[in-house]
Amino acid sequence: MIPRNFRLITIPVSHYSEKARWGLDYLQIPFKELAHMPPFHRGATKKYGGTTVPVLVTETGAATDSTDILRYLDRLYPEQLYPIDPQLQLLSTELEILFNNTLGVHTRRWGYSYIATSELLYPRWTLGVPFWEKLLFPVIFPRVGAILKQNFDITATSGAESYREIEIVFDRVDGLLADGRKYLLGERFSAIDITFAALAAPILQPPEHHISPAPLESLPTQMQTDIRTAQGTSAGKFGLRMYREHRSNSVESNAIVNLSN
Ligand SMILES: N[C@@H](CCC(=O)N[C@@H](CS)C(=O)NCC(=O)O)C(=O)O
């Protein structure tokens, strides 16, 4: 039986949260999004044994990692997200690990290398969160901003370093797409396409993302250059197509609480 009462604890701008949100939307599962700003997500996730977002809570339990969430959803709706063919499973696992551990980590570090200022983070972090968290932003930012820089190793060169790591992952995806395949595992849309597109979104800035991208000109110059270059690659075009073809229709439909407050 499919459990009810799905709740997704997020930091709305988090790309790992977007990955889980996309999985729920794709399967047309209604859910309530409980949005928080760092570090307040910790209070919400702690009781489920998680420290990071997303956390999916249902009436029967909780999953505290974006991949665990997609795999849990795949058990509820078999063969909708992951392949059953053993060969495809091997590729699926290899790509999932690469995207989770390298792409997602470096698109985040690349982004924060350029926008870890109070002015640029305020609109991104406070979207949809409880008003009292929003009010506390100026009070907590000096400390949280410093922790963020330390945790993600943000330095004068981290943007360029992480961009190089992103390029290596994009090269792998370019290589796969070179045979003309429609999706990363072949002919069928899967969790791996969701994982790639959601975790690449910070550098691809897809217009269909539920958080509308900032105008390119408002971003630091190096970011603009990197975004344009990434968007022009085969992998970048592929990620943008996944948003266009598999995200635009579902994006507004399933979250019971939208991010408007
Ligand atoms: N492996 C985790 C990674 C999630 C993750 O790194 N989430 C970040 C947001 S993008 C987070 O919660 N950061 C806040 C923290 O570490 O306290 C997953 O896939 O769910």
Side-chain angles (χ1 to χ4, degrees):
M1 206 181 81
I2 308 286
R4 287 166 302 168
N5 199 12
F6 282 77
R7 281 154 291 150
L8 188 67
I9 303 171
T10 68
I11 295 169
V13 77
S14 142
H15 53 348
Y16 290 98
S17 297
E18 163 65 356
K19 176 184 150 192
R21 185 192 291 118
W22 191 340
L24 288 159
D25 280 335
Y26 179 67
L27 296 172
Q28 303 199 338
I29 299 170
F31 65 99
K32 182 170 177 175
E33 181 160 343
L34 306 173
H36 292 282
M37 181 180 91
F40 303 109
H41 65 287
R42 294 266 167 126
T45 56
K46 201 169 58 185
K47 58 175 170 282
Y48 302 107
T51 53
T52 57
V53 292
V55 171
L56 180 69
V57 184
T58 75
E59 57 194 0
T60 55
T64 58
D65 174 272
S66 62
T67 301
D68 291 348
I69 293 171
L70 292 189
R71 291 197 177 267
Y72 166 72
L73 296 178
D74 191 59
R75 285 197 295 281
L76 296 181
Y77 295 87
E79 296 174 45
Q80 295 300 308
L81 288 172
Y82 287 91
I84 48 164
D85 175 285
Q87 282 303 322
L88 288 182
Q89 280 177 356
L90 279 180
L91 178 61
S92 161
T93 305
E94 183 230 314
L95 293 176
E96 189 166 55
I97 292 170
L98 178 70
F99 298 157
N100 284 331
N101 296 353
T102 304
L103 181 65
V105 168
H106 285 286
T107 50
R108 176 174 59 200
R109 182 168 177 251
W110 167 84
Y112 280 135
S113 297
Y114 298 107
I115 64 161
T117 65
S118 157
E119 301 71 40
L120 290 170
L121 280 188
Y122 178 80
R124 290 169 172 83
W125 275 14
T126 57
L127 188 79
V129 307
F131 78 94
W132 61 270
E133 291 185 11
K134 209 180 270 195
L135 283 178
L136 284 171
F137 180 91
V139 181
I140 57 127
F141 185 76
R143 173 112 181 91
V144 177
I147 294 173
L148 177 137
K149 284 187 180 161
Q150 193 181 6
N151 285 354
F152 295 149
D153 189 24
I154 304 300
T155 64
T157 54
S158 56
E161 286 160 18
S162 282
Y163 185 74
R164 181 70 201 123
E165 295 293 327
I166 296 166
E167 274 186 325
I168 293 169
V169 177
F170 272 38
D171 284 350
R172 171 82 177 102
V173 170
D174 287 352
L176 282 169
L177 296 172
D179 65 6
R181 67 184 63 199
K182 197 165 174 213
Y183 298 109
L184 292 177
L185 300 183
E187 287 314 301
R188 229 182 122 179
F189 182 71
S190 74
I192 303 309
D193 302 305
I194 293 179
T195 302
F196 174 73
L199 297 183
I203 200 161
L204 294 180
Q205 303 274 304
E208 298 82 8
H209 198 286
H210 85 130
I211 298 180
S212 303
L216 211 52
E217 320 74 64
S218 70
L219 298 173
T221 318
Q222 186 58 50
M223 265 190 126
Q224 295 184 31
T225 308
D226 291 350
I227 290 168
R228 285 205 182 89
T229 310
Q231 286 175 337
T233 62
S234 301
K237 288 180 187 149
F238 172 78
L240 291 168
R241 180 167 68 78
M242 291 304 99
Y243 264 92
R244 212 166 46 242
E245 294 181 0
H246 294 280
R247 193 79 180 103
S248 48
N249 296 335
S250 59
V251 80
E252 307 261 0
S253 58
N254 297 320
I256 296 165
V257 168
N258 68 26
L259 301 170
S260 57
N261 63 329

